[in-house]
């Protein structure tokens, strides 16, 4: 069983729709929860990160963490064609050397926003 | 500010050949790491480093070597390329601890034939 599960999609929605992206995880040791956005043939870039359960909002994006259910979500309001990308959830927990934390990624969800 | 720079962007190797993927960052980050990205698998950690002279294995280290002689550079060596190493490779760097943002390079697309 993978530590982090994410539906790879693809997901296609019309412009202006609300998008919901989700990940589940099995390891309760995860401490930080992140969403990365990856445009085609580019490297991932951090979109949002959160530490505790609850919601965190940044413009049209809302990250939600439910530690009791081991479930995280990313909501995109008023979606735009420029939001078309692959979205990867990522979680970190302490690793072995000098307290380094290891990032564990979901498979990524490919999202297309249609004009 | 260049950020994280990977070279080359594309490479085709024959089975058994060796090569080095280069990674350099100009942000004075302590942490650097290498990931491979395969369809349906997400990003998987190959090796990482917490500073010059200190490296450790990630979850898929077999067939790869790393060293870190300077803060800026973290090359990844393929010892004897195999078709299973066909992938997109990303280098990332960050400040102390992964709870801070990891900055990724543009990736190297490697095909082993």
């Amino acid at each position: 069983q993978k530590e982090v599960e994410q539906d790879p999609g693809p997901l296609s929605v019309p412009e202006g729709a609300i998008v919901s992206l989700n990940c589940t995880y099995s390891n309760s040791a995860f401490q930080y929860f992140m969403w990365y956005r990856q445009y085609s043939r580019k490297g991932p870039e951090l979109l949002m990160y959160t530490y505790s359960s609850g919601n965190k909002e940044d413009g049209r994006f809302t990250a939600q963490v439910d530690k009791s259910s081991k479930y995280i979500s990313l909501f995109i309001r008023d979606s735009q064609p420029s939001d078309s990308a692959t979205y990867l959830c990522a979680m970190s927990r302490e690793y072995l050397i000098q307290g380094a934390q290891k990032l564990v990624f979901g498979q990524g969800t490919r999202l297309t926003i249609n004009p | 500010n260049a950020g994280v720079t990977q070279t080359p962007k594309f490479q085709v190797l024959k089975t058994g050949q060796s090569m080095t993927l280069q990674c350099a960052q100009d942000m004075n980050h302590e942490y650097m790491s290498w990931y491979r990205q395969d369809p349906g698998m997400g990003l998987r950690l190959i090796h990482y480093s917490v500073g010059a002279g200190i490296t450790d294995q990630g979850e898929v280290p077999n067939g790869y070597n790393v060293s870190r002689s300077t803060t800026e550079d973290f090359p990844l060596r393929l010892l004897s390329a195999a078709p299973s190493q066909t992938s997109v490779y990303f280098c990332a760097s960050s400040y102390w601890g992964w709870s801070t943002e990891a900055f990724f390079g543009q990736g190297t697309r490697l095909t082993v034939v």
Side-chain angles (χ1 to χ4, degrees), chain B residues 13 17-23 34 46-47 55 60-69 73-81 85 89 110:
Chain B
L13 286 180
Q17 286 184 319
S18 63
M19 79 160 294
T20 299
L21 279 62
Q22 301 292 343
C23 176
W34 278 100
I46 304 171
H47 285 285
T55 64
V60 288
N62 292 339
Y64 308 95
N65 267 0
V66 293
S67 61
R68 184 130 176 243
S69 56
D73 300 299
F74 190 43
L76 178 72
R77 283 183 287 277
L78 279 70
L79 308 173
S80 177
Q85 293 178 304
Y89 292 85
L110 176 67

Side-chain angles (χ1 to χ4, degrees), chain A residues 10-68:
Chain A
L11 182 62
S12 181
V13 301
E15 183 176 355
I18 296 174
V19 176
S20 172
L21 304 168
N22 310 294
C23 289
T24 59
Y25 62 96
S26 57
N27 192 338
S28 57
F30 286 126
Q31 300 171 343
Y32 292 90
F33 304 88
M34 288 148 273
W35 287 94
Y36 280 80
R37 179 173 60 194
Q38 184 178 21
Y39 289 114
S40 181
R41 298 186 176 265
K42 300 290 186 183
E45 54 184 358
L46 182 67
L47 189 60
M48 295 188 73
Y49 83 93
T50 185
Y51 173 71
S52 58
S53 285
N55 294 352
K56 182 176 182 178
E57 195 170 312
D58 184 3
R60 297 185 293 111
F61 298 89
T62 299
Q64 188 175 80
V65 174
D66 183 347
K67 287 188 176 181
S68 62

Side-chain angles (χ1 to χ4, degrees), chain A residues 2 8 32 34 36 38 40-47 49 86 88 92-93 95-108, chain B residues 10 31 35 37-38 40-45 48 50 54-59 90 96-107 109:
Chain A
K2 293 180 180 177
Y32 292 90
M34 288 148 273
Y36 280 80
Q38 184 178 21
S40 181
R41 298 186 176 265
K42 300 290 186 183
E45 54 184 358
L46 182 67
L47 189 60
Y49 83 93
T86 296
L88 301 113
S92 69
R93 56 176 169 81
Y95 207 54
L96 298 175
I97 291 185
Q98 296 184 10
Q101 294 203 334
K102 175 188 174 183
L103 275 177
V104 180
F105 285 87
Q107 299 96 309
Chain B
F10 302 93
Y31 283 78
Y35 292 86
Q37 186 173 36
D38 302 293
M41 302 295 291
L43 287 155
R44 291 182 292 168
L45 183 65
Y48 71 103
V50 299
I54 308 172
T55 64
D56 196 18
Q57 297 180 349
E59 57 183 311
F90 288 100
W96 186 269
W98 289 117
S99 59
T100 58
E101 180 176 358
F103 292 83
F104 285 82
Q106 296 287 291
R109 291 183 174 272

